[in-house]
Amino acid sequence: MTKQNSLFDKYYKGDTSLQEEQEVRELARKDAGYGIEQTIFDYFEREARVPENLEEDLFNGIFSAGKEKKIRRMKMYSFVSAAAVVLILFTVFLDVKKNRRTQLEDNFFVMEQALFQISESLQPPQEQDDMLVLWVDNDVEIIIN
């Protein structure tokens, strides 16, 4: 057992050769007293194995991630484009509505001015309240202040 202990000490110091390391692994597997070492060696042995389709899985993952990003980006562009179109149409609608209202107000103002001028030209001038009209003839008016 001293040979085993010295072999384990040498292993933990990092002075063993590949053949001696193999012996340490075999001793740890056979002897129940080295349960911790056996667990460690089993763990490293399991982790040292490369899965069979690792390269293929990695490439598939990389390419599918790229495709998913592209699809996600295209969906986002579609959504943003649709929102921009709706915003532009809404802005044009509001501008047309504002221009129409302004045009109607301008037309109404022009019409109001025209009607006011027509009514002024058709009605005789209003007399002042302080004046008293005594007599009106075709050619003569008698007014008292």
Side-chain angles (χ1 to χ4, degrees), residues 7 10-21 24:
L7 193 58
K10 192 174 176 184
Y11 176 78
Y12 285 123
K13 289 180 185 176
D15 295 333
T16 56
S17 65
L18 292 176
Q19 185 180 9
E20 290 173 332
E21 285 181 20
V24 169

Side-chain angles (χ1 to χ4, degrees), residues 108-126:
F108 180 77
F109 180 72
V110 168
M111 202 58 140
E112 186 179 38
Q113 290 295 320
L115 287 174
F116 179 73
Q117 288 177 358
I118 291 173
S119 69
E120 284 289 319
S121 66
L122 291 178
Q123 292 180 357
Q126 295 287 334

Side-chain angles (χ1 to χ4, degrees), residues 57-75:
D57 291 343
L58 285 175
F59 281 122
N60 288 339
I62 290 170
F63 291 129
S64 67
K67 288 179 184 177
E68 289 175 11
K69 283 184 180 181
K70 187 174 182 180
I71 290 170
R72 211 175 306 137
R73 191 179 316 132
M74 292 302 290
K75 285 181 181 179

